[in-house]
Amino acid sequence: MSHGGQTRRRFLTAVGTGATIGLAGCTGLFGGDDGGGSTITYLSDRGDSRDLVDEIIDEFESEFDYTVDVTYTSTGTSTDEELQRMVTADNPPDIIFDTSADAYRYQLDGDLAPVTSAVQDVGLPDPVNVDGESYMAPTMVEPLMFWYRTDLYEEYPETWDAWSQEAQRVTEEEDINGFCVQTGQTNNADTQHTQYLWQNGVQPYGGPTGDVEVRIDQGENRERAIETYEWIQEMNEYSPNGSGWEWGDAIGALQQENVAAIASVGGFPILSIAENRPELAQNLSPAPFPIPEGREHENWWAYYEGHVVRNDGSATEGAQEFVEFFSKSERFMDFLLTAPLFQLPPTRDQLGNETYRNHEIVQEYPGVLDLAEEYWDVFTTILETADGGAPNLLGAEGYANHVFGRGADELLIGDRSPEDTVDWVADELRALQE
């Protein structure tokens, strides 16, 4: 780094590995009382965006009497291990860059301070609102999207029946797997199969926050879940064995022309493929998830990632100031553009931001933002699945334990019937409540 704050931050090798490369990061292991002159400790997995984050930090430090020391990991690398290390060393971070599901767990454990003013003043989404206070300030949204080869599929199939017919045709005529079903204990698999269930109107959970019950095996939910698993079985005939595949594995299969369609998150595939196979990238298009005939897109999985403030650090008030400053910074859009089309702006209004829209990659693949804008109103997180979209800890725990991804393994590799798979998933979810 060449920024003015360099002398105040100490370097270390980035924790873990990410989808790209391990990066050098910064850490601060200082204490101090909150108030003027104290140090804010910040743990972030945005190592690939380090330069922009450091510029925002330098702006903050020039206006406020705080120093910000950062521990970075590469984008996509969990910060859990480093967080536990810092807490064990009695040096918990003041700020963590994390997901809404993790934020809710921290809040239930009593570890978070509110960031209500940051959410309200900027008009951000409010996925972790408890008793009128906001405990997460999202900095980006990352919706699931389907990606398919436009040179192999003349039109987007859209419905389950159309996908079945077209995937079979592509598989048989083009010597390539027409579809990609990912399964197992991965985030990719869990999101994919949760979304397929949602597409068929299955509501795995129901009830108010604090008293959520498992409903996937009850009444109409059960019937629709069985139908969903039957369709997944059918589509698996046109797919490679995707058990254990992470996001990068599916993208790699698409890039290597082993598959013609995958589920991924936002424009992540374009960021990888456009650099290595630009001619192939031109034949890729984002699309909604396949949907049964006659149904509408009612719930669309989206990740919210952003800032949470712990209440047991050394500079809680300064951390709250920084979180609000970050989202209001003039460099905020530049930060998002360190991974364009993957890190989408957190509000619908910001999708029209000129700085973001005018980026060359965004200009080249406008379909990503167009799709996000069209379906923005049905974006939801797995956390917001209690009655009325309230926080659902069971939903977060189910995702953390990859219950739906593992259920797909039971179906396709363990040879369970669709009926038995529904029961297996329901039992696993209820076990998390015990």
Side-chain angles (χ1 to χ4, degrees), residues 361-383:
I361 294 180
V362 177
Q363 290 271 310
E364 192 169 358
Y365 302 97
V368 176
L369 291 194
D370 292 344
L371 196 65
E373 192 166 24
E374 180 178 358
Y375 291 101
W376 189 273
D377 291 340
V378 293
F379 285 174
T380 190
T381 70
I382 192 61
L383 177 66

Side-chain angles (χ1 to χ4, degrees), residues 269-288:
I270 286 297
L271 295 183
S272 300
I273 297 173
E275 180 178 356
N276 301 308
R277 294 284 310 280
E279 79 289 351
L280 177 60
Q282 293 301 319
N283 290 326
L284 296 177
S285 176

Side-chain angles (χ1 to χ4, degrees), residues 32 63 72 114 141 143 164 234 251 260 280 301 348 352 375 377 395 410:
E63 295 186 28
Y72 286 112
V141 61
S164 177
E234 184 176 348
I251 293 171
L280 177 60
W301 183 303
R348 190 173 194 163
Y375 291 101
D377 291 340
E410 293 290 324

Side-chain angles (χ1 to χ4, degrees), residues 277-323:
R277 294 284 310 280
E279 79 289 351
L280 177 60
Q282 293 301 319
N283 290 326
L284 296 177
S285 176
F289 259 60
I291 193 166
E293 185 76 38
R295 297 208 64 86
E296 297 181 355
H297 301 278
E298 298 176 351
N299 295 297
W300 190 310
W301 183 303
Y303 288 97
Y304 282 118
E305 297 193 70
H307 292 121
V308 298
V309 174
R310 287 182 67 99
N311 57 20
D312 56 353
S314 60
T316 303
E317 291 180 12
Q320 291 168 314
E321 292 274 13
F322 177 78
V323 167

Side-chain angles (χ1 to χ4, degrees), residues 97-310:
F97 194 96
D98 219 323
T99 66
S100 57
D102 285 337
Y104 188 51
R105 289 194 199 92
Y106 301 150
Q107 196 280 330
L108 290 178
D109 289 341
D111 293 333
L112 295 190
V115 290
T116 309
S117 62
V119 170
Q120 293 181 350
D121 291 353
V122 183
L124 296 174
D126 195 10
V128 189
N129 186 295
V130 181
D131 297 329
E133 294 283 4
S134 305
Y135 289 91
M136 181 197 187
T139 63
M140 64 188 64
V141 61
E142 298 158 358
L144 289 188
M145 289 186 181
F146 221 72
W147 287 86
Y148 72 104
R149 291 270 300 269
T150 57
D151 56 328
L152 300 179
Y153 290 95
E154 292 184 5
E155 294 182 356
Y156 177 66
E158 189 172 359
T159 67
W160 282 6
D161 286 345
W163 262 110
S164 177
Q165 295 169 15
E166 281 295 280
Q168 181 179 6
R169 178 190 63 79
V170 169
T171 301
E172 294 175 352
E173 295 180 4
E174 304 292 345
D175 193 29
I176 183 175
N177 290 292
F179 203 75
C180 183
V181 179
Q182 293 118 255
T183 67
Q185 196 160 337
T186 69
N187 292 346
N188 196 351
D190 205 77
T191 57
Q192 186 178 28
H193 292 285
T194 301
Q195 188 67 54
Y196 288 145
L197 291 163
W198 282 351
Q199 295 296 82
N200 201 24
V202 179
Q203 296 299 322
Y205 313 101
T209 293
D211 193 24
V212 171
E213 63 178 7
V214 177
R215 294 183 178 173
I216 189 173
D217 60 342
Q218 298 178 8
E220 225 174 71
N221 282 317
R222 179 180 179 80
E223 295 174 13
R224 291 176 177 171
I226 291 170
E227 290 175 355
T228 303
Y229 286 127
E230 289 172 343
W231 181 77
I232 290 169
Q233 276 183 322
E234 184 176 348
M235 297 309 294
N236 193 56
E237 296 297 315
Y238 318 119
S239 170
N241 181 355
S243 180
W245 280 20
E246 299 283 1
W247 303 106
D249 296 313
I251 293 171
L254 189 62
Q255 179 173 302
Q256 295 158 18
E257 302 191 61
N258 291 328
V259 296
I262 67 168
S264 195
V265 58
F268 195 24
I270 286 297
L271 295 183
S272 300
I273 297 173
E275 180 178 356
N276 301 308
R277 294 284 310 280
E279 79 289 351
L280 177 60
Q282 293 301 319
N283 290 326
L284 296 177
S285 176
F289 259 60
I291 193 166
E293 185 76 38
R295 297 208 64 86
E296 297 181 355
H297 301 278
E298 298 176 351
N299 295 297
W300 190 310
W301 183 303
Y303 288 97
Y304 282 118
E305 297 193 70
H307 292 121
V308 298
V309 174
R310 287 182 67 99

Side-chain angles (χ1 to χ4, degrees), residues 332-354:
F332 179 67
M333 287 297 162
D334 295 324
F335 159 71
L336 293 180
L337 286 168
T338 57
L341 301 182
F342 172 57
Q343 299 178 161
L344 299 188
T347 72
R348 190 173 194 163
D349 287 345
Q350 289 173 329
L351 285 178
N353 180 274
E354 289 187 8

